[in-house]
Amino acid sequence: LVIALLEDIVAQLDVTSTLYESKMNAVETYMAMQGLPEDTKLKVAAYYENLWRHQLGVNGGKLLKYLPRSLRSDLLFDKLSPLLQKTFFVKDCSADFVASILRSMTLELYLSDDIIFQEGERCDRLSFLYKGDVDLLTSSNVKFKTESDCLLGESAFFGTEPFICTARAATVCEVFHLHLADFQEQLADNHLLDKFSSYLRKNDKKLSKSKAATEKMIKNLNSSKMAKMLSIEDMKTTPKGVILPNSISRRIWDTIALSFLVVLVFTVPFQISFSGIVAGGGGGGGEGRAAAV
């Protein structure tokens, strides 16, 4: 009885692991019942594994909701203060409005190669990249920039325009999102709609400048000259005398070496065995001749 009680106590020591395993079993059962493809199953499993590794299996957005409103805004302000000081319009607002914005934010975890937003998609959220690296891609999926610790989609968000590029996670990323509906609601609740419209008219050039810089970079990347430079970069020749591991010459050499090794494995023991027999047979013939004489 004592041993059984001890086992029960030890089993309850790590409640978090037990809850995580229970959740994973439920997820795996659901995916099996729905007949999801293997690629999707692996991606879902990888997401929960990273969620466990970074946040012990607890979604950060849900965890923030358990905190009091004031404590939640203070916590997020400490995390996002450097980015908030650069954010269009928000940087020039009162502390009360900034706190209300922070309380409206949600936290999302993105795995490597996950799409955060797509070019041409309606911008309905402003993304604060807190951790990780994000690749910015053209419509041809060509990477033209890698960002970290920054705002994503600022000009599109405040200008209510579609995204002008695609953002893809290069590593595991933690991103805070401010949704457009929540932002507009906070503007209305704080009686700042007129102030925002006036601010937008006065500082529209700043947004246009940021957007123009990105569009120019994309245009240059799509130009024939840049494409030629990229093709030259990809077609760099290998120095003479160097054989790359994945080159055809290396594969031919490996095939020849393997064939030669196989021949040696079979011929050497064969030669040793038969050379002994031949030598023995020759010695026996000599003794016979000597006896006859």
Side-chain angles (χ1 to χ4, degrees), residues 129 132-134 146-150:
L129 179 57
D133 299 324
V134 171
T146 299
E147 296 279 14
S148 61
D149 191 24
C150 67

Side-chain angles (χ1 to χ4, degrees), residues 174-242:
E174 293 182 22
V175 182
F176 288 90
H177 290 301
L178 172 61
H179 292 272
L180 183 60
D182 293 329
F183 176 69
Q184 292 173 340
E185 181 181 352
Q186 294 302 328
L187 287 176
D189 291 345
N190 290 271
H191 308 289
L192 293 175
L193 288 172
D194 293 337
K195 180 180 178 179
F196 175 70
S197 299
S198 176
Y199 189 94
L200 190 60
R201 287 193 298 270
K202 291 179 181 178
N203 298 276
D204 182 60
K205 290 184 178 179
K206 293 182 180 179
L207 290 179
S208 301
K209 185 178 179 180
S210 175
K211 178 183 176 182
T214 303
E215 288 179 335
K216 183 179 179 181
M217 192 177 301
I218 295 174
K219 184 178 179 181
N220 290 338
L221 194 64
N222 290 332
S223 67
S224 58
K225 184 176 180 181
M226 182 63 70
K228 186 177 180 181
M229 290 175 61
L230 290 174
S231 63
I232 292 174
E233 186 72 19
D234 292 337
M235 295 173 60
K236 283 183 177 179
T237 57
T238 306
K240 292 182 178 180
V242 176

